[in-house]
């Protein structure tokens, strides 16, 4: 039972263009969502997050959009840079006093071509 | 300010042997989380510990797996009588307080069972 789904295993974009990574979830109890970036042989690095009370959160080139009714979120990277090439994981949790576990998707491998 | 340190980075064990994975959290962090990433999968929560206490072990397999975070020293994830299906990357994360965002992950231990 996969509660967080990233249906695109890979995505390739040109440098300077927009990258859009998508994520769907099934558990309506999730109310906090995160994106992590992972390079090979390294641990995941926290990128950006969004609470369910918002529909958008922006941090520099990275913007996360949340559509609660569709149980869908997306990460936009504008403009994309070659250094953004990595695997991106979507994660979700239920915030009940903190310390709730994260449920991760399988990841999308982003390749940004120079 | 060292990050989360995991050792060894790579561990090879024969079937039936024991595997011990170590995690030293960031300085000042008293909360430790263990996640496992099987090949072609996302990270899956295993256990959440505070100093000397297991808070949530809902993701731990019922047999052969145990975890501890003693008052002094690193957190240890122990796998007894390893099988081929235990081959995976094991990631540890730490935080200064109970939180489900902004974890700092270590680089992981890649366990290979032969």
């Amino acid at each position: 039972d996969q509660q967080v789904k990233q249906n695109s295993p890979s995505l390739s974009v040109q440098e300077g263009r927009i990258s859009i990574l998508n994520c769907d979830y099934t558990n309506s109890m999730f109310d906090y969502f995160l994106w992590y970036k992972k390079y090979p042989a390294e641990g995941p690095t926290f990128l950006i997050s969004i609470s369910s009370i918002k529909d958008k959160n922006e941090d520099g080139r990275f913007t996360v959009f949340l559509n609660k009714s569709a149980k869908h979120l997306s990460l936009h990277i504008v403009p994309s840079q070659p250094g953004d090439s990595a695997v991106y994981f979507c994660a979700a949790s239920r915030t009940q006093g903190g310390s709730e576990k994260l449920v991760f998707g399988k990841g999308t491998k982003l390749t940004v071509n120079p | 300010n060292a990050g989360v340190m995991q050792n060894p980075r790579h561990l090879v064990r024969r079937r039936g042997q024991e595997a011990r994975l170590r995690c030293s959290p960031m300085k000042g962090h008293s909360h430790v989380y263990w996640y496992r990433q099987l090949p072609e999968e996302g990270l899956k929560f295993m256990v959440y510990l505070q100093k000397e206490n297991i808070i949530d072990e809902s993701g731990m397999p019922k047999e052969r797996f145990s975890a501890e975070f003693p008052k002094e020293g690193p957190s240890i994830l122990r796998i007894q009588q390893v099988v081929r299906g235990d081959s995976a990357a094991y990631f540890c994360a730490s935080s200064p307080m109970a939180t489900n965002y902004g974890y700092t992950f270590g680089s992981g231990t890649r366990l290979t069972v032969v």
Side-chain angles (χ1 to χ4, degrees):
Chain A
D1 177 25
Q2 202 178 344
Q3 299 184 69
V4 177
K5 299 178 185 178
Q6 293 178 257
N7 292 320
S8 298
S10 62
L11 175 67
S12 183
V13 300
Q14 286 299 120
E15 181 178 5
R17 306 294 288 270
I18 184 171
S19 295
I20 300 176
L21 296 95
N22 293 303
C23 177
D24 298 291
Y25 61 96
T26 57
N27 189 338
S28 58
M29 298 296 291
F30 288 146
D31 59 3
Y32 200 83
F33 305 90
L34 309 89
W35 286 93
Y36 281 83
K37 176 180 178 180
K38 185 181 180 303
Y39 292 116
E42 292 185 14
T45 302
F46 171 74
L47 197 57
I48 193 169
S49 63
I50 188 166
S51 165
S52 60
I53 62 173
K54 294 186 173 182
D55 56 16
K56 177 182 175 182
N57 189 24
E58 193 171 353
D59 184 2
R61 296 185 298 114
F62 302 91
T63 303
V64 56
F65 296 92
L66 175 62
N67 182 336
K68 280 189 66 179
S69 60
K71 294 192 179 68
H72 177 83
L73 62 154
S74 61
L75 174 68
H76 292 212
I77 307 173
V78 183
S80 301
Q81 300 174 353
D84 296 329
S85 298
V87 177
Y88 289 79
F89 291 98
C90 171
S93 73
R94 300 181 303 164
T95 50
Q96 294 180 351
S99 76
E100 281 290 336
K101 59 194 175 190
L102 296 179
V103 180
F104 283 84
K106 292 188 177 184
T108 296
K109 183 177 181 180
L110 173 65
T111 302
V112 180
N113 301 303
Chain B
N1 184 18
V4 177
M5 304 301 293
Q6 289 189 249
N7 66 81
R9 290 294 303 271
H10 301 275
L11 182 61
V12 179
R13 284 287 178 266
R14 295 187 183 279
R15 281 177 294 170
Q17 291 185 318
E18 178 179 286
R20 281 187 179 236
L21 289 65
R22 294 175 189 77
C23 170
S24 296
M26 288 184 69
K27 187 175 181 181
H29 287 194
S30 59
H31 299 254
V32 165
Y33 312 81
W34 285 92
Y35 284 77
R36 175 167 70 172
Q37 185 182 21
L38 295 169
E40 309 302 322
E41 297 287 325
L43 283 77
K44 286 189 165 38
F45 170 81
M46 298 184 76
V47 62
Y48 160 46
L49 310 102
Q50 293 179 27
K51 287 282 187 180
E52 300 183 276
N53 287 304
I54 296 175
I55 307 303
D56 181 355
E57 57 180 347
S58 58
M60 289 279 270
K62 295 287 184 260
E63 298 177 346
R64 303 187 296 109
F65 285 72
S66 62
E68 63 176 8
F69 188 17
K71 188 176 180 181
E72 301 290 337
S75 175
I76 305 288
L77 180 67
R78 181 183 179 206
I79 311 171
Q80 295 179 291
Q81 298 176 306
V82 296
V83 300
R84 289 231 169 101
D86 296 333
S87 296
Y90 292 81
F91 293 97
C92 167
S94 74
S95 69
M97 64 184 74
T99 180
N100 54 10
Y101 58 94
Y103 290 168
T104 302
F105 278 93
S107 296
T109 293
R110 275 144 190 87
L111 172 65
T112 302
V113 180
V114 297

